[in-house]
Amino acid sequence: MSKGTLFDKVWDAHTVGVLPSGQTQLFIGLHLIHEVTSPQAFAMLRDRNLKVLFPERTIATVDHIVPTTNQARPFVDDLAEEMMQALEQSCKEHGITFYNIGSGSQGIVHVIAPELGLTQPGMTIACGDSHTSTHGAFGAIAFGIGTSQVRDVLASQTLALSKLKVRRIEVNGTLQPGVYAKDVILHIIRKLGVKGGVGYAYEYAGTAIKQMNMEERMTICNMSIEGGARCGYINPDSVTFNYLKGREFAPQGTNWDKAVDWWNSIASAPNAEYDDVVVFDAAEIAPTVTWGITPGQGIGVDEKVPTPEDLPEEERAIAAEAYEYMDVQPGTPLQGTKVDVCFIGSCTNGRISDLREAARFAKGRHVAKGVKAFVVPGSERVKKEAEAEGLHEIFQAAGFEWREPGCSMCLAMNPDKLQGRQISASSSNRNFKGRQGSASGRTLLMSPAMVVAAAVTGRVTDVRELI
Ligand code: SF4
């Protein structure tokens, strides 16, 4: 097993004890909750007459079901309104801080916690959403959990977990223009497979990762789960500390200095031992697009869809399913494929730097005829910041719709849904069958800049042609 890694140090520091099952009882420093996975957990607490043990370590927001056009209450969708009321009621009953719509800090749970400075290095974090791995960008160990585990954390502030192995993934060198963090993580998942990370925590390192800002690092860690890893993290450094300094929940005064000392001490030691090490060359990564029904079915935009012969035996069955569902021909380019909907948003790519980069390509261009394109900021703060910079005007002038914050068409639990067999160019993180709200809808994952390139040409396009 690994030794001297950040994962080991944070794990040991939060170990309460070893359970009879052999699992570790791990203390959870921060529990993030939202409207979808918490109602049943609160109901289980009520049934057992239990209270939330650490309400001050529990933070709520609403993101999955919120409409992105009209957010007036009551919501038009009765079920969404019911979920909203249930969360409001539970937070009130248990004394939990709730960042509701209009608070100025509402948004996708994985966007707002870092913005508020709640996500900090060396923490253990849990949330009833798969993409909780996002918070690992700060050097935290962050787990997406199911509803019964949400109950466990609410009641005990601990989780029963088995220790993971640690794989160090180094990405060295410099990314080409038009290649982003999203391309890096899609490339990693393509190479290591969607199950390649099972049983592992991923530690991302190397010069290309070091050069990334916090938002890019969050994009990388966000999709760890899509590569099968239970969590992913990046060792904290001056980029992390500069991002955190002065944020609402970041330590202040002398506590800041103490915190930085602690944060530095939990980084992986130079002589740390890993269970596995994989190295990538940043220069070899192209703008990457998925052609199939898993995030691992990706190619460089200038490549052809793989034929069964190009793939290892164990990937051929899922590839056959993908060819049929996506209606793509093996051995042909994906570039030039017509798109119907273009979505910029989600906890992977709905942050301010994503919107700035997308706006840079949208400026002076126009969405192609017949394409529906929309931008959904990841949070109220992102929206405010973008509007202060005039990004919304650039998008609107280019024919994009400018929406209210939420998860939106990442998983379409709100009214933003694909229709029928529509193809979506999407900056989100999952291209599973039916993920974007239509049982037969098709999703092509890509970076926000690539989504703009698709929107303005109406087809899958290499964003480098627009530079
Ligand atoms: S944006 Fe998508 S992946 Fe992220 S929290 Fe919302 S639904 Fe989950």
Side-chain angles (χ1 to χ4, degrees), residues 146-281:
T147 297
S148 55
Q149 289 176 306
V150 172
R151 170 204 63 197
D152 294 349
V153 182
L154 288 173
S156 72
Q157 204 62 32
T158 62
L159 274 176
L161 293 168
S162 300
K163 198 169 178 190
L164 301 165
K165 294 186 282 185
V166 183
R167 173 178 290 142
R168 181 175 164 93
I169 300 176
E170 279 186 32
V171 187
N172 292 315
T174 305
L175 297 173
Q176 301 171 39
V179 179
Y180 300 93
K182 179 64 159 291
D183 303 301
V184 174
I185 191 61
L186 284 173
H187 182 81
I188 291 172
I189 299 168
R190 170 192 180 183
K191 295 293 177 186
L192 300 181
V194 289
K195 293 187 184 149
V198 173
Y200 281 97
Y202 277 175
E203 175 177 305
Y204 302 99
T207 51
I209 301 286
K210 274 290 246 189
Q211 282 164 21
M212 289 182 181
N213 65 32
M214 286 314 297
E215 301 198 343
E216 295 169 311
R217 293 179 184 190
M218 283 188 248
T219 300
I220 297 281
C221 291
N222 172 277
M223 290 191 70
S224 304
I225 191 79
E226 303 307 332
R230 192 76 174 77
C231 63
Y233 67 88
I234 295 169
N235 283 301
D237 59 10
S238 57
V239 176
T240 323
F241 308 150
N242 290 339
Y243 177 96
L244 278 169
K245 195 154 176 99
R247 291 192 184 260
E248 199 172 330
F249 289 93
Q252 312 283 335
T254 52
N255 283 341
W256 171 261
D257 299 326
K258 282 189 212 157
V260 171
D261 285 347
W262 151 242
W263 296 341
N264 277 319
S265 77
I266 50 101
S268 294
N271 62 351
E273 290 172 25
Y274 296 88
D275 299 287
D276 191 27
V277 178
V278 184
V279 180
F280 291 99
D281 179 359

Side-chain angles (χ1 to χ4, degrees), residues 34 63-64 108-110 129-131 134 222 226 343 345-348 406-413 428-430 435:
H34 59 89
D63 50 11
H64 286 61
I108 306 174
V109 64
H110 312 309
D129 181 273
S130 311
H131 296 85
T134 310
N222 172 277
E226 303 307 332
F343 167 61
S346 86
C347 60
T348 313
C407 294
S408 180
M409 206 188 266
C410 173
L411 95 164
M413 277 185 87
S428 55
N429 46 49
R430 282 188 169 162
R435 169 75 176 182

Side-chain angles (χ1 to χ4, degrees), residues 330-341:
T332 63
L334 198 64
Q335 200 169 174
T337 303
K338 211 172 149 304
V339 299
D340 304 297
V341 175

